[in-house]
Amino acid sequence: MKHITRTATALCLSLGSLLACAQNPLNFGSNIKTADPSGRVWADGKMYLYTSHDEECQEDFHMQDWHAFSSTDLVNWTAHGAILSLKDLSWADNYAWAPDAVYKNGKYYLVIPAGTGFKDRVNPEKSTKWMGIGIAESDSPTGPFKDMIGAPLWKTPYANDPSMFIDDDGKAYLYFHGVNSDYQVVEMADDMRSIKGDFYKMDMGGYEPKMEGPWIFKRNGIYYFTMPENNRVLSYYTAKSPKGPWKYQGVIMDEENNANNHHSIVEYKGQWILFYHRWLNDKTSTCHKKQRHTAAEYLHFNADGTIQKVERTEKGVSDFSVRSNTKKTGEK
């Protein structure tokens, strides 16, 4: 069921022409626990977030479905519910992890990782866990999405945390985290239902730390490869091509409490936004432990295209309407 939350706005205080409000984590109108936010802006002018969904008090990352949310001001969000579930897949029954979404050929494509088996954290040699990447289609950005191929895009290598980038020439590139296959990219076929050619191992300039969840975007002719370095610190590379060679540029956001992070970076109404997740204590939870929640901050660039370091804040992007209107009118 779709619903709109106005709670965040109600908590804000108007101070002249400014808006002061504690906005992080983002308020989706319920106690839903979300992580791994993928931000996309479509032709209708809305910001969409595609997220994974942590089960309440889950003992491990056994998530079951993917959710979507939309907004025009990044404060008030419409929750579109579960847009795809593991029940809709014939090839996986566990690990509904970090999704992404793109628009091409007049269709919306949801790129999802999912898997089977069991991960034995005490005795890793006994683990049977496997994960692959699937792709589902819809005529709407909020679904329903349908798995049109009934299988993962490939079975080897093991892969998860996909990120799709469509360049100006219409070519779609799929980046991912995989076992013994990080820093690889593969091009999608024109019909978006299969991969085209072989995996390509990118030149990362000699620095390849452990990573998950890459996110790729382009700004002013510069390609950015961003990632949770060692699964916790957000860092980035730059290049002149979507396949590199890449140059390491440093840290965007420090780790927090030795916990994982996963993010996306997108421009909306003249502002660059970093979406990410935080592990926070939730007083409404029955297990009284830290769980993941989606948050957002502004992202700023230097004149040479490098990214300024981002600090976590309670305010987040609560004044987005003011900033975006100021950008439109040219005020300082």
Side-chain angles (χ1 to χ4, degrees):
M1 180 180 295
K2 300 180 181 180
H3 58 275
I4 300 176
T5 172
R6 299 295 176 185
T7 306
T9 299
L11 294 176
C12 295
L13 299 176
S14 294
L15 300 176
S17 61
L18 297 179
L19 194 66
C21 176
Q23 175 61 15
N24 274 331
L26 298 181
N27 190 319
F28 294 140
S30 69
N31 292 326
I32 188 172
K33 310 303 186 294
T34 61
D36 313 316
S38 169
R40 296 294 184 185
V41 180
W42 306 131
D44 62 5
K46 297 179 182 179
M47 169 69 75
Y48 287 84
L49 281 182
Y50 299 88
T51 73
S52 60
H53 170 212
D54 287 353
E55 299 290 319
E56 183 69 24
C57 300
Q58 63 187 18
E59 294 184 3
D60 209 330
F61 298 107
H62 299 303
M63 293 100 87
Q64 300 297 302
D65 53 25
W66 298 270
H67 282 242
F69 307 87
S70 64
S71 177
T72 57
D73 62 9
L74 308 189
V75 173
N76 301 291
W77 292 88
T78 298
H80 300 281
I83 56 173
L84 189 70
S85 168
L86 291 173
K87 294 182 294 185
D88 303 317
L89 305 181
S90 61
W91 51 273
D93 58 13
N94 206 341
Y95 313 113
W97 286 9
D100 193 12
V102 293
Y103 178 80
K104 184 177 170 65
N105 304 333
K107 299 281 188 180
Y108 297 91
Y109 296 90
L110 189 67
V111 192
I112 47 100
T116 60
F118 173 73
K119 182 170 184 176
D120 192 325
R121 295 187 180 275
V122 178
N123 300 293
E125 70 278 3
K126 296 181 180 180
S127 293
T128 59
K129 180 184 171 188
W130 167 88
M131 290 192 72
I133 296 172
I135 188 161
E137 302 176 16
S138 177
D139 294 322
S140 164
T142 58
F145 284 88
K146 184 177 181 180
D147 178 8
M148 302 299 289
I149 61 176
L153 289 168
W154 66 82
K155 292 186 177 181
T156 303
Y158 168 117
N160 58 39
D161 291 356
S163 178
M164 191 85 79
F165 172 73
I166 298 181
D167 208 350
D168 299 334
D169 59 5
K171 291 183 178 180
Y173 298 91
L174 179 57
Y175 306 79
F176 56 94
H177 160 66
V179 174
N180 300 319
S181 59
D182 282 344
Y183 304 105
Q184 292 192 26
V185 61
V186 65
E187 187 176 342
M188 294 293 296
D190 292 338
D191 65 2
M192 297 292 286
R193 295 185 181 181
S194 62
I195 59 175
K196 181 179 180 180
D198 295 327
F199 298 99
Y200 179 81
K201 178 64 172 66
M202 297 183 295
D203 179 354
M204 307 306 293
Y207 184 60
E208 299 184 5
K210 180 181 178 182
M211 69 92 169
E212 289 184 358
W215 179 266
I216 292 76
F217 67 97
K218 185 179 182 181
R219 176 184 179 271
N220 294 344
I222 300 175
Y223 295 84
Y224 293 79
F225 182 99
T226 68
M227 65 180 187
E229 182 175 338
N230 293 314
N231 305 342
R232 285 162 171 72
V233 176
L234 301 186
S235 61
Y236 76 110
Y237 300 73
T238 57
K240 296 180 180 180
S241 160
K243 298 171 71 173
W246 299 94
K247 179 181 179 181
Y248 184 75
Q249 297 288 1
V251 174
I252 299 172
M253 176 180 275
D254 290 328
E255 70 176 88
E256 183 180 41
N257 300 324
N258 196 34
N260 69 21
N261 200 352
H262 193 114
H263 72 296
S264 60
I265 296 171
V266 61
E267 184 181 20
Y268 187 49
K269 297 183 179 181
Q271 301 291 327
W272 282 89
I273 310 296
L274 168 68
F275 293 103
Y276 64 106
H277 67 237
R278 300 184 69 180
W279 292 76
L280 301 172
N281 285 315
D282 189 339
K283 295 180 179 179
T284 67
S285 172
T286 58
C287 57
H288 306 293
K289 70 175 185 179
K290 289 183 178 180
Q291 297 180 83
R292 297 189 294 179
H293 300 261
T294 296
E297 310 287 353
Y298 293 108
L299 189 84
H300 300 285
F301 295 84
N302 298 311
D304 62 357
T306 54
I307 299 174
Q308 296 178 18
K309 198 170 182 180
V310 179
E311 300 294 334
R312 295 172 179 83
T313 67
E314 291 186 2
K315 180 180 179 181
V317 295
S318 58
D319 63 348
F320 177 79
S321 292
V322 174
R323 290 201 184 202
S324 59
N325 286 334
T326 300
K327 188 79 173 183
K328 288 179 181 179
T329 59
E331 298 176 2
K332 295 183 180 180

